[in-house]
């Protein structure tokens, strides 16, 4: 079996065309329709080149659509190279539909009730003004900047005739939820510079929710992590959680007033670190990808920006969002 190429739309089109090469030319049009493609157009001729014919029929398909077609081809005809290519995409992603995407919190925690627990319907009854709630259905391709801006314009019709002002307004509202964290702002700003035709990088997303405060719970948290720093919703239901870890994630501050040099120091705290990695394991088992970025990596602005750009480009390429044809 030949080496597996990068998983891009172009690679999938080529692999599907290769897998269908076993089909007779006079049967190829019917086979393509059976696989879910549109009927053959008058100017399309499988007798000249079967590979070119199939590639042209697939030209306008998204990565998500190509993966679905590839799975049907594998089921019907089998092909080791195509199977390896689809397998390189990893798991399909997190099962289940996203119903309640609450994000960009820039103030007190929202108070939530379940008016209909059977259908998992929520309503924010207090502090709704400090967060955003995306309430549109998601497709397999995830949530793009274009989707998010279109939703934003529905909330703010004053931007309906000026797409650029809508983008700027949304960007500044999302940045506001990160205003106290320079490292997270660097992550967000670096990503937004990569382009508009990409999945949206959603900040400060509520992953879990406990309606009670730590004071009401006598200081004992029942949920390890209620908010994640960033979330990407990508092709094939892939969901990537990105966390920026400062020293407080793995150490505790100790008062040294009784020491020769008063002040405070940070000491490694395994009891603080363990629940965090345990939660990472649970998220991974649920189908999420979890990526942690050490705050120390971002101390130098230029070096941190280069590190983040490389990371995001590789992550997006892995999920077919690099703009390749």
């Amino acid at each position: 079996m030949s080496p597996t190429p990068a998983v891009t739309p172009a690679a999938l089109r080529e692999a599907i065309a290769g897998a269908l090469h076993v089909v007779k030319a006079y049967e190829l049009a019917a086979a393509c329709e059976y696989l879910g493609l549109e009927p053959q157009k008058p100017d399309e001729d499988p007798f000249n080149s079967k590979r070119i014919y199939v590639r042209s029929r697939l030209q306008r398909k998204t990565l998500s659509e190509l993966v679905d077609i590839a799975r049907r081809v594998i089921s019907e005809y089998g092909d080791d190279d195509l199977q390896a290519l689809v397998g390189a995409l990893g798991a399909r992603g997190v099962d289940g539909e996203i119903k309640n995407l609450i994000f960009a919190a820039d103030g007190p925690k929202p108070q939530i009730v379940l008016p209909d627990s059977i259908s998992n319907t929520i309503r924010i009854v207090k502090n709704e003004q400090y967060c955003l709630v995306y309430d549109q259905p998601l497709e397999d391709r995830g949530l793009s900047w274009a989707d998010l801006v279109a939703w934003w314009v529905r909330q703010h019709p004053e931007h309906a005739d000026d797409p650029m002002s809508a983008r700027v307004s949304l960007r500044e509202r999302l940045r506001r939820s990160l205003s106290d964290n320079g490292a997270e702002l660097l992550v967000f700003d670096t990503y937004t510079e990569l382009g508009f035709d990409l999945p949206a990088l959603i900040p400060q997303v509520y992953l879990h929710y406990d309606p009670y405060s730590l004071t009401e719970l006598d200081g004992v948290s029942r949920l390890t992590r209620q908010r994640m720093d960033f979330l990407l919703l990508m092709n094939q239901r892939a969901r990537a959680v990105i966390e920026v870890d400062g020293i407080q994630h793995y150490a505790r501050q100790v008062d040294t007033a009784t020491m020769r040099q008063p002040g405070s120091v940070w000491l490694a705290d395994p009891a603080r670190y363990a629940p965090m990695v345990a939660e990472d394991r649970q998220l991974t088992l649920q189908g999420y990808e979890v990526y942690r970025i050490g705050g120390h990596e971002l101390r130098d602005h230029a070096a941190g920006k280069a590190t983040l750009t490389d990371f995001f480009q590789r992550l997006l390429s892995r999920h077919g969002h690099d703009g390749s044809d």
Side-chain angles (χ1 to χ4, degrees):
M1 184 166 56
S2 58
T4 303
V7 184
T8 64
L12 273 171
R13 287 195 293 268
E14 186 63 36
I16 292 170
L20 291 178
H21 199 263
V22 299
V23 180
K24 301 294 184 182
Y26 59 84
E27 297 176 341
L28 197 51
C32 287
E33 287 192 45
Y34 175 76
L35 293 169
L37 300 181
E38 295 80 8
Q40 176 179 300
K41 296 179 181 178
D43 60 343
E44 294 174 330
D45 184 3
F47 288 91
N48 290 330
S49 170
K50 290 191 289 186
R51 288 180 182 271
I52 293 175
Y53 173 82
V54 173
R55 286 201 303 266
S56 68
R57 299 283 300 271
L58 298 170
Q59 191 63 40
R60 296 185 180 277
K61 298 296 183 183
T62 65
L63 180 72
S64 176
E65 292 169 332
L66 288 169
V67 171
D68 288 339
I69 293 169
R71 290 193 173 107
R72 291 197 289 270
V73 171
I74 293 167
S75 175
E76 188 70 22
Y77 300 100
D79 185 89
D80 288 343
D81 288 340
L82 185 57
Q83 177 67 65
L85 195 61
V86 172
L89 285 167
R92 181 179 176 85
V94 182
D95 290 332
E97 300 298 326
I98 287 183
K99 297 185 178 72
N100 308 309
L101 186 59
I102 304 172
F103 64 104
D106 66 348
K109 178 179 177 180
Q111 293 185 12
I112 298 172
V113 297
L114 258 68
D116 185 349
S117 62
I118 295 176
S119 61
N120 197 28
T121 301
I122 70 166
R123 185 169 73 245
I124 300 176
V125 294
K126 188 176 180 180
N127 299 327
E128 184 176 10
Q129 68 271 31
Y130 299 111
C131 64
L132 303 178
V133 182
Y134 187 81
D135 55 2
Q136 300 299 303
L138 291 179
E139 300 180 13
D140 268 6
R141 61 180 172 78
L143 178 61
S144 70
W145 283 125
D147 295 329
L148 203 56
V149 170
W151 166 83
W152 181 253
V153 168
R154 284 193 290 272
Q155 316 303 311
H156 300 273
E158 66 271 20
H159 298 296
D161 297 326
D162 191 346
M164 184 54 68
S165 74
R167 293 188 196 183
V168 172
S169 174
L170 173 61
R171 179 177 181 272
E172 290 310 304
R173 173 60 184 85
L174 298 179
R175 289 184 92 253
R176 196 161 73 235
S177 69
L178 308 170
S179 60
D180 294 331
N181 192 311
E184 291 181 3
L185 278 171
L186 181 58
V187 172
F188 184 78
D189 290 344
T190 300
Y191 184 85
T192 56
E193 291 175 9
L194 296 179
F196 184 70
D197 297 322
L198 293 171
L201 183 65
I202 312 165
Q204 300 298 305
V205 180
Y206 275 95
L207 176 65
H208 306 304
Y209 185 84
D210 191 327
Y212 295 97
S213 67
L214 283 177
T215 301
E216 293 171 306
L217 295 171
D218 296 325
V220 179
S221 175
R222 296 183 293 194
L223 295 174
T224 304
R225 182 189 310 153
Q226 293 195 51
R227 272 195 315 197
M228 65 184 88
D229 292 339
F230 298 100
L231 176 66
L232 280 168
L233 302 172
M234 299 178 288
N235 279 326
Q236 295 293 299
R237 299 179 182 268
R239 301 178 192 173
V241 173
I242 300 168
E243 293 286 305
V244 182
D245 293 343
I247 193 171
Q248 72 277 6
H249 287 80
Y250 51 83
R252 58 187 172 88
Q253 201 166 20
V254 178
D255 186 7
T256 60
T258 59
M259 298 183 180
R260 183 171 300 175
Q261 294 182 334
S264 62
V265 296
W266 288 91
L267 298 178
D269 188 352
R272 177 171 295 186
Y273 177 73
M276 182 177 70
V277 295
E279 175 66 16
D280 285 354
R281 288 197 304 273
Q282 292 301 317
L283 284 175
T284 302
L285 289 172
Q286 292 174 39
Y288 287 84
E289 299 176 22
V290 182
Y291 298 95
R292 291 194 168 273
I293 299 170
H296 188 80
E297 298 179 80
L298 308 180
R299 289 193 307 168
D300 180 274
H301 186 277
K305 192 177 185 69
T307 296
L308 291 168
T309 299
D310 177 68
F311 162 68
F312 280 126
Q313 288 175 337
R314 294 171 65 185
L315 175 62
L316 291 167
S317 178
R318 180 172 183 267
H319 289 283
H321 292 290
D322 58 350
S324 298
D325 290 328

